[in-house]
Amino acid sequence: MLLLKRIIRNYGTTQQYALPITIKDLYKRIVNPPRTVQNVNGWIRSVRLMKKMAFLDIQDGSCLETLKIAIPIKQSDETIFLKRLKTGQSICIASAQWQETPQREQPFELKIEDPLQSISIRGNVTENYPLQKKNHSLLFLRSLPTLKHRTMYLGSLMRFRSFIEQRLMNVLQSDDFVKVSPPVLTSSDCEGAGELFEVKTASSKNYFGKPCYLTVSTQLHLEILAMSLSRCYTLTPCFRAERSDTNRHLSEFWMLELEMCFINDVRSLTTVLESILRRLIESCLERSSELIPEVTLQECLSREDVINRWKMLLNPEPWKLITYTEAINMLSEKHKIKPFEKYEPKWGEPLQTEHEKWLAEAHFQSPVFITDYPRDCKAFYMKTNTPSIPGKETVACFDLLFPEMGEIAGGSIREDNYNALAHEMHRRGMNSSGELDWYLLLRREGSVPHGGFGLGIERLISYLFGNHNIRDAIAFQRSATGTIDL
Amino acid sequence: MLLLKRIIRNYGTTQQYALPITIKDLYKRIVNPPRTVQNVNGWIRSVRLMKKMAFLDIQDGSCLETLKIAIPIKQSDETIFLKRLKTGQSICIASAQWQETPQREQPFELKIEDPLQSISIRGNVTENYPLQKKNHSLLFLRSLPTLKHRTMYLGSLMRFRSFIEQRLMNVLQSDDFVKVSPPVLTSSDCEGAGELFEVKTASSKNYFGKPCYLTVSTQLHLEILAMSLSRCYTLTPCFRAERSDTNRHLSEFWMLELEMCFINDVRSLTTVLESILRRLIESCLERSSELIPEVTLQECLSREDVINRWKMLLNPEPWKLITYTEAINMLSEKHKIKPFEKYEPKWGEPLQTEHEKWLAEAHFQSPVFITDYPRDCKAFYMKTNTPSIPGKETVACFDLLFPEMGEIAGGSIREDNYNALAHEMHRRGMNSSGELDWYLLLRREGSVPHGGFGLGIERLISYLFGNHNIRDAIAFQRSATGTIDL
């Protein structure tokens, strides 16, 4: 901040060009409060007008806290002025006195002696301004994409997302992972996961000389970079033209994808992932009071339940880890006693949602890694486990299931042997026109054992924040049934 | 790391599942070196085979340094084995002794007594492996998208990018900016900058019910979020179907976009931007020896020149700031004395590259903010300066020019008045079908003065790293003339 001050001085003024003061800044001053404050800005959250006093609650989205403004009323024109104040208006308070209020809910308030002089309305609201003080449902808020983040709950969710992303990146940096930016525009379909979005320009169908798609996963490109940098990750948007219209699917979502070299065992990946997430959640717990609102929405987890969820994740016992085959055995036992509603667990079939729910919720009541799925349930690039039983081949992969959320991450050791990969691609009828030769040939030039995983950011954030629908964990949702309003 | 160890113990092993050791890890051990090291992995950078000794240089992309392996040769089968080692192969060294070598270039080397036992080749190379020890030109390296990042120069550039992104985010976090993720898929064309990419699915032309494009700038959405959170930023890919085929244009590039409320003056933005960049560059300078290779490519800046460039940017004098009108006056004076080659400077016309070059390079020899451009040179959402001379209206905006790079960032105060914005959009024939009503109506519900800027990440990185072509500052370039190879 010294620097900023120096620059400012050179412009010949003292305050004008610094960052405007926020409510968060004011709360930082509690230990050493100023006598007066100038130029405080925000949006009115509520107005309480009495005969001799008025109280305003101001928010500015910088923190959970609101700012209380106390205004003694001395003249009738002040009452007339204060009656014009409405929820949602933006105001500027030119000058106010700091008053400690240890007996009240909030530790201090700002007192204004002359509201006509001190308060100016910067932006009015229409009569239909839809956000009043009470808590609206998320369903209603989703219909207000330009205003909904002004609510305490969704504003906090955006700040929480920022905190999670920032912490994740710090943790990865401390583990020497290099942050990279693989492309969004790609010519290849990573794993046949979901339908692709195709990209064109109005004037030219083939701007790039061949069909071009939006990436569904940057993994294949990430492998190139890992094989140069040893460890890398990206935080990037991915796109799937899904038809699934659930509270766990988005057409545009962000992924943390990580890739590392010189590992042979899927447990290296699960250990790294568990360690990253535990360190992340520990830092959430340290700062819970500034991350989660005291009052949450009725349909979402309370602050207490959120903190209990974090503590469950931080259980000193390592997260459960079982193979797919062990999972099928457990599920079959359970199915004999009390059958699953829709699907009988069968080796060779994907695990269904009801199976995953039973494992993570009813049975383990803990996060659970499921490893070593049948080869034909998974993507072509996963390394086949050896020795293998013909017809019962498994791959060195994992899915991480969280109770009440299901899959939150998945990864694998990649096939690093040229012949084995070429054979598997051929077996699946892939690469007929050589479009993945670049990926295959990477195994011919200093190939190394490597692996990685992808983690859905919105799923992680929703799980940790306790909102149930991942559509609320991204600022503007793009999903199968949603139109693009803006 | 305690945590990781605890988890590992629970799996019943001690080492197997921890992060593999990197060359960077070894260099961290110099102060307290181990006697032996196990399981060191990397790619061979060079082999030097003599009668009684062999030396390998190993790299793993974790840092600038390579690892020297010294191998005394005792038997002829060792010579035969060592002759099989080639540049580009990946190897694993099972066990080696640490030897301090204070008299050599590198502070230590690893000594291997029994190469047949200790060295295993993990991945071979073909006879055509194109990366030999010598420095290749960037033009040649661009033709090797899967291998080029294994070179010291481009590997360093990727690590530098990671450092810059991480530092930028830390600086912004310390200034209480919230990191947000506005959409890539959008229905609106932010500013008519470059041609748009349109997005479709194979099975449905209108997956989202209306035409959908890739964002050229997330600013309009960012304004919504700023008007909820006071200060926010994003680090996000943006897309322009440019026809410009220069070393300063990409079709897919990353932008830092920042938006903040309660500011009226374009100098608030230039001050914030200058402060962010100065703090960033200061941390580069602190770590120059690990960021910039000692030997760079002939066509790029040397380490010394890079550091001089950083020092020029950190000149204690604030960066120059002039208005567009002042710039035109200066340029016209210069034009009278010695005319510009192509364009005469004229008020109302955009500044041409030759004008920008003269200002930043010949005249100021410093970064320079140019503010208050004519309204019709700039986008519709910029706030018009008052009072204004009819026909000579200017807007509260800036471009930041760097010597030898040109525009690196641009921003403005946004029009926050409903009537003024509606009038300007109408004047430009915009919003005829109401597609930007959401943006306009935001000015009706608690509108506040606000502004922001966008900064091209690849331009910033190229400028600070001293490579001249921004295509090398992104892992996989997408540009007007380039095909999508992978």
Side-chain angles (χ1 to χ4, degrees), chain A residues 20 28 43 60 90 124 126 150 162 165 179 184-185 198 200 207 230-231 242 252 445-447 478, chain B residues 20 43 60 90 124 126 150 162 165 179 184-185 198 200 207 230-231 242 252 445-447 478:
Chain A
K28 287 179 195 163
W43 289 271
D60 70 355
S90 65
N124 220 327
T126 64
R150 295 185 195 177
S162 174
E165 289 190 18
K179 182 175 190 296
V184 167
L185 299 175
E198 191 166 358
K200 295 182 171 172
Y207 177 87
S230 284
R231 296 176 199 164
E242 307 252 18
E252 175 177 351
E445 305 291 7
S447 189
R478 304 294 186 231
Chain B
W43 289 270
D60 71 354
S90 64
N124 219 328
T126 64
R150 296 186 194 176
S162 175
E165 289 189 17
K179 182 174 188 297
V184 166
L185 298 176
E198 191 167 358
K200 295 182 172 173
Y207 177 86
S230 283
R231 295 176 199 163
E242 307 252 18
E252 174 177 352
E445 305 292 6
S447 188
R478 304 295 187 230

Side-chain angles (χ1 to χ4, degrees), chain A residues 161-322:
Chain A
R161 181 181 175 126
S162 174
F163 175 80
I164 292 292
E165 289 190 18
Q166 190 77 40
R167 268 306 289 159
L168 268 178
M169 288 190 272
N170 288 341
V171 165
L172 288 165
Q173 193 187 27
S174 72
D175 284 351
D176 289 331
F177 283 87
V178 180
K179 182 175 190 296
V180 294
S181 303
V184 167
L185 299 175
T186 173
S187 61
S188 62
D189 167 7
C190 175
E191 44 186 311
E195 202 186 342
L196 293 167
F197 288 110
E198 191 166 358
V199 176
K200 295 182 171 172
T201 62
S203 63
S204 149
K205 284 207 166 170
N206 271 329
Y207 177 87
F208 290 110
K210 63 163 100 171
C212 171
Y213 307 97
L214 297 184
T215 191
V216 297
S217 156
T218 65
Q219 178 206 315
L220 304 192
H221 293 88
L222 220 48
E223 288 184 55
I224 292 174
L225 296 168
M227 287 170 78
S228 301
L229 303 166
S230 284
R231 296 176 199 164
C232 61
Y233 78 98
T234 185
L235 189 68
T236 190
C238 291
F239 303 84
R240 296 187 188 180
E242 307 252 18
R243 290 284 149 197
S244 307
D245 181 31
T246 78
N247 59 6
R248 297 191 303 147
H249 289 89
L250 289 165
S251 306
E252 175 177 351
F253 59 101
W254 284 67
M255 277 228 274
L256 174 77
E257 294 194 274
L258 175 154
E259 199 73 23
M260 55 192 291
C261 288
F262 311 117
I263 54 168
N264 293 293
D265 192 303
V266 74
R267 288 204 181 186
S268 301
L269 292 171
T270 60
T271 310
V272 166
L273 175 54
E274 182 169 346
S275 161
I276 291 167
L277 290 178
R278 280 180 180 264
R279 283 178 279 168
L280 176 72
I281 297 159
E282 274 168 3
S283 57
C284 288
L285 205 53
E286 281 162 21
R287 298 174 66 173
S288 58
S289 62
E290 64 182 273
L291 291 174
I292 307 292
E294 251 181 278
V295 180
T296 62
L297 301 189
Q298 215 182 350
E299 56 201 295
C300 304
L301 288 198
S302 69
R303 182 196 264 184
E304 198 189 339
D305 288 340
V306 166
I307 292 173
N308 284 336
R309 180 173 274 187
W310 296 349
K311 287 180 177 162
M312 178 273 290
L313 295 171
L314 291 176
N315 183 329
E317 287 245 326
W319 294 349
K320 299 291 177 284
L321 187 149
I322 56 171

Side-chain angles (χ1 to χ4, degrees), chain A residues 1-10, chain B residues 175 271 275 278-279 282:
Chain A
M1 286 292 82
L2 257 177
L3 175 72
L4 196 59
K5 288 216 183 97
R6 195 178 54 206
I7 298 169
I8 292 159
R9 204 187 49 226
N10 275 290
Chain B
D175 284 351
T271 309
S275 162
R278 279 179 180 265
R279 282 178 281 167
E282 275 168 3

Side-chain angles (χ1 to χ4, degrees), chain A residues 141-153:
Chain A
L141 291 176
R142 275 175 221 135
S143 71
L144 304 171
T146 60
L147 300 175
K148 66 178 183 179
H149 300 105
R150 295 185 195 177
T151 60
M152 191 51 71
Y153 192 73

